[in-house]
Structure formats: C-alpha cells, structure tokens
Amino acid sequence: MLRTIAKTPLRNLTPIRYLSHTRMTMNTLDSDVPANQRTDGPAFTSMRGLLLQQFQSPSTVSIYNDSYKHAGHHGIGDSSNKTESHVRLEIVSSEFTGLNLPKRHRLIYKLLGDDMKKYDVHALQLSTKTPEEFEKAQARNAD
C-alpha cells in the first residue's frame, strides 16, 4: 500500500513516503512549490533511487527537502546547490536490526556519499529505525 503522509499542515511541506520500491508517487511537481521545497530535482531523484534499491524489504523511506529553512545561512551562500542542499530522511527498515545508530548512519552515508558530493548536498539529517522501534515511538507519542 502506498501512502503520502503530511506531517505539517503547510501545503508545500508534504513529504513523499514510499512503502514499496516498485510504486512511487511525486506530489511535489506542482509548479507553485518553490524549487527549494520540491523533491523531484536531480539530487533527490538520484538519492531516492539508491535508497529504494537498498531498502527493498518492507520499509518506509520518507525524503524531505529542508533547503528553504537554510536559504540565508552563511554556509550555503557560495554553494552551487541552493535548492537541494538540506536533505532529511526518515527510514524504517528491518535492515537496521542489530545495528547501532552510528552503523546505521554510516550505511546511509556510504550509500549516498557520492551523490552528496556530486550534487553538493550541504546537510543530511537522518532518522533510522527498525519497525519495532518505530512502533514503540508511535505508541509513546499516542499516550
């Protein structure tokens, strides 16, 4: 089952959530969405493809473009990439079972490192959970 889940009421911040590597939806193709909030550019498209290849088991991969939050920051001023500079990923996968947080993050950085250099991605924020950890967090937040 494929769902798109909004975590914020703002229309332009709707993330893309993939529950299957075979079906995808692009809900940020709307020309009204500023480039630094879209997830259909070359960097995001390439990274999404790599993530979906890696996490083929029942997994959740959510990708967000947080570049608009950092538009005026000093470190981004001279960057060649101002529209896809800050990536936030939320990944739930059984492939993280038995791996501590640094090993999970190393796995993602190894997978995306070449794309981060190629597309001059400035920052990568990660949330990596097993399905059990995700369920616990959901139950905790429901209380």
Side-chain angles (χ1 to χ4, degrees):
M1 182 175 142
L2 180 66
R3 300 182 298 163
T4 301
I5 300 171
K7 292 193 173 193
T8 172
L10 299 176
R11 177 180 166 268
N12 292 343
L13 301 182
T14 305
I16 295 177
R17 178 157 287 187
Y18 300 100
L19 299 178
S20 166
H21 71 284
T22 57
R23 294 181 60 203
M24 292 191 245
T25 182
M26 300 293 283
N27 64 347
T28 55
L29 295 174
D30 186 347
S31 61
D32 292 339
V33 177
N36 64 355
Q37 293 180 26
R38 294 173 61 140
T39 57
D40 61 334
F44 279 81
T45 300
S46 181
M47 287 188 281
R48 180 181 308 108
L50 292 170
L51 290 165
L52 294 175
Q53 284 175 4
Q54 174 71 33
F55 299 102
Q56 293 184 13
S57 63
S59 300
T60 302
V61 175
S62 299
I63 187 167
Y64 304 82
N65 187 346
D66 288 341
S67 302
Y68 71 97
K69 296 178 182 178
H70 306 276
H73 292 188
H74 180 274
I76 203 69
D78 295 330
S79 174
S80 62
N81 177 6
K82 291 179 178 52
T83 58
E84 296 179 295
S85 60
H86 290 71
V87 179
R88 180 167 39 107
L89 299 174
E90 294 177 4
I91 304 170
V92 179
S93 176
S94 58
E95 292 185 42
F96 295 133
T97 303
L99 298 178
N100 62 24
L101 194 61
K103 287 182 180 176
R104 295 174 187 188
H105 287 200
R106 281 186 211 114
L107 174 73
I108 303 300
Y109 273 96
K110 184 177 180 182
L111 181 66
L112 300 180
D114 289 341
D115 272 5
M116 290 180 67
K117 290 175 190 165
K118 178 180 178 180
Y119 296 107
D120 196 19
V121 173
H122 178 75
L124 181 63
Q125 179 182 349
L126 299 173
S127 172
T128 54
K129 293 183 165 79
T130 65
E132 295 77 19
E133 292 167 340
F134 180 76
E135 292 300 323
K136 279 184 185 177
Q138 293 291 94
R140 209 174 317 125
N141 291 339
D143 293 339

